[in-house]
Amino acid sequence: MKSYVVTGGAGFIGSALCYLLLSDTDAEVVVIDRMTYAANPVTLDRLKAHKGFRHVQADICDTAKMAEIIRLVQPDVVFHLAAETHVDRSIDGPAAFVTTNVVGTYSMLEASRDYWSVLDAEAADKFRFIHISTDEVFGSLGPEGYFNETTRYDPSSPYSASKAGSDHLARSWYRTYGMPVVISNCSNNYGPRQFPEKLIPLMILNALEEKPLPVYGTGTNVRDWLHVEDHARALRLMAERGVPGEVYCVGGGAERTNLEIVHEICRVLDARRPRNTPYKDLVEFVTDRPGHDFRYAIDASKINGQLNWSPAHDFTAGLEETIDWYLANENWWRPLREKQYRGERLGTRV
Ligand code: NAD
């Protein structure tokens, strides 16, 4: 039986990873999640239906508690995803980002080392700490070129700077202590169960509620979209065959401008939920995000060559499925829209 700790498993990517790990019916998956505004209890309720799934509500910054949980679970792998994740919120309030993303990552590394350092040689060799980070640590690309594992760190936002700090800590736990850490830097994820502050679910839900679709600046910023299930598969491969101390860049190979994404969502909704005029009419151009990176794009040839990973989802079909998921799962998002976040503009403070 394989045993996993997943931090942030009640969030978007963490829950997709839990579903993948639990597809092995023998697996034990223990989620550590504090249940911030970004976590959804409905996600947890659905995961709890699986034998082998457990949730511990705790803060990753509590190192003693983390060490206690890890000693009890005795995981083969710790997947570390818990983080504050929204760039706009990091502009309004950077403190939580430094606390959770930097101090919290330190805490998970230290708690894992506490467990790993007393394992016998064979178990210590097999243990993996998979640190989940972002391509945003590399800053912004111009119209040409790609990020890869050797790209210089150049973060623009408090969010990406805090993730960059966490990456440096993770790398140093490998170099200094020899703990088997693998780092993933991935591009923008999309798919089911994403909190509706992020571009794709925000646009879907605003459109369904006939609210304006706010596009930052001129909408020409480019992101490389990765389906969350493809990302989860990449993370599991890193745990199985990734080389300790190595970094893998993961991208979907699906570059789109923000405006193209919004128009595509409108096109699908025009077919699924027709209204009198096209949804495109709801688009409203608003002040740009301060420090808005122009373009992210990933060269995924390392993970493709070494771990034989490539994205399985076609972006157009994946986006349609995502829209259908939100249409079919109003009980998942309605309470969030009513109680947590109604779609108001965030992150305009300079
Ligand atoms: P999310 O915001 O959907 O979920 C984060 C989860 O972490 C939530 O369930 C929250 O309750 C939990 N959490 C936050 N602070 C915590 C704390 N102090 N203690 C315990 N739990 C805490 O995030 P996501 O989009 O699933 O991202 C997961 C990871 O992937 C993050 O590390 C993020 O930086 C990284 N990442 C995300 C993307 C993306 O497109 N979503 C892209 C690249 C990298």
Side-chain angles (χ1 to χ4, degrees), residues 7-15 32-40 58-61 66 80-86 99-101 104 131-136 159 163 184-190 193-195 197-198 225 231:
T7 72
F12 169 47
I13 303 172
S15 56
I32 302 174
D33 199 301
R34 185 161 72 92
M35 303 304 285
T36 69
Y37 79 93
N40 193 329
D59 190 327
I60 56 164
C61 297
M66 294 304 110
H80 175 43
L81 296 97
E84 289 291 338
T85 61
H86 191 39
T99 305
T100 288
N101 300 359
H131 175 65
I132 287 75
S133 189
T134 165
D135 60 357
E136 300 193 26
Y159 164 65
K163 291 299 289 187
S184 152
N185 292 107
C186 73
S187 59
N188 280 50
N189 285 219
Y190 73 99
R193 295 181 303 276
Q194 186 169 33
F195 189 86
E197 64 194 351
K198 306 285 174 18
W225 292 93
H231 183 201

Side-chain angles (χ1 to χ4, degrees), residues 36-100:
T36 69
Y37 79 93
N40 193 329
V42 182
T43 297
L44 270 189
D45 287 344
R46 293 178 185 178
L47 279 166
K48 278 178 189 158
H50 289 73
K51 175 174 106 25
F53 178 84
R54 273 187 294 151
H55 168 232
V56 182
Q57 186 162 3
D59 190 327
I60 56 164
C61 297
D62 182 345
T63 315
K65 180 89 183 159
M66 294 304 110
E68 186 191 320
I69 297 167
I70 292 172
R71 267 198 306 271
L72 266 169
V73 177
Q74 304 196 344
D76 299 285
V77 185
V78 172
F79 288 100
H80 175 43
L81 296 97
E84 289 291 338
T85 61
H86 191 39
V87 174
D88 288 343
R89 288 183 197 264
S90 83
I91 295 167
D92 289 335
F97 286 73
V98 175
T99 305
T100 288

Side-chain angles (χ1 to χ4, degrees), residues 190-192 200 227 313-325:
Y190 73 99
I200 289 176
H227 195 281
H313 284 80
D314 165 75
F315 180 74
T316 306
L319 183 62
E320 283 192 20
E321 281 162 27
T322 302
I323 295 167
D324 287 337
W325 186 88

Side-chain angles (χ1 to χ4, degrees), residues 188 222-225 254-256 258 292-296:
N188 280 50
V222 175
R223 301 293 180 257
D224 169 0
W225 292 93
E255 288 185 52
R256 299 284 188 283
N258 289 346
H292 201 180
D293 289 330
F294 172 63
R295 175 170 165 260
Y296 305 137

Side-chain angles (χ1 to χ4, degrees), residues 147-150 171 182-183 185 238 241-251 298-310:
F147 296 134
N148 68 23
E149 291 76 9
T150 63
R171 189 176 286 105
V182 179
I183 299 174
N185 292 107
M238 281 180 221
R241 303 214 307 272
V243 178
E246 290 291 318
V247 175
Y248 296 92
C249 283
V250 191
I298 291 259
D299 168 1
S301 50
K302 179 174 171 181
I303 187 165
N304 178 256
Q306 292 189 10
L307 305 184
N308 196 22
W309 175 91
S310 56

